Amino acid sequence: MAVDPREKIALFIDGANLYATSKAIGVDIDYRKLLTEFSSKAYLLRANYYTALIEDQEYSSIRPLIDWLDYNGYTVVTKPAKEFTDALGRRKVKGNMDIELCVDALELSPYFDHLILFSGDGDFTALVAALQRKGKRVTVVSTLTTSTPMISDDLRRQADFFLDVAELAKTVGRPQVQRPVEA
């Protein structure tokens, strides 16, 4: 990974995207090890984790992770997910955090040298370009190892560096825990 130890870095994690990516390659991310890994490389200014939550659920499987992250060095940014019924009558949940992540990255940009973006979403290509125009370096973390790449080609080309989650998982991953299927 191309991080200069003199740099101030910020981690911005698109929670839903990193979850889908790590699930696709069969690993769970150890978020404590993730902080340790990046703190050992440079000055870690901030680690933000973005996710939408379904507010009216009695129990959300992501709530324990969100609470743990919040108490262990991450800035957790959430918003309520929107529930709707599609044209075929299926219940859908939509929770996009792209705008919040972009605004926060641009606002924090005077204070960091290098953004580490955990997402393969091509919508972030314009953010990466904007940060580069401000003199910032950007590493995008996603994967190419799945049969269908989890990263937009445009985003990967725009970034200064690309880090594959499969490679990162060697130091911050653990085998996926088989969870019982809820009925």
Side-chain angles (χ1 to χ4, degrees), residues 25 27 142-143 145 163-170:
I25 63 171
V27 297
S142 189
T143 193
T145 61
L163 175 59
D164 201 301
V165 173
E167 188 62 30
L168 183 62
K170 292 176 183 174

Side-chain angles (χ1 to χ4, degrees), residues 59-69:
Y59 173 78
S60 170
S61 59
I62 196 169
R63 179 51 70 187
L65 172 63
I66 297 304
D67 290 342
W68 186 92
L69 292 171

Side-chain angles (χ1 to χ4, degrees), residues 25 99 105 133 153 159:
I25 63 171
I99 297 298
R133 286 191 300 273
D153 193 50

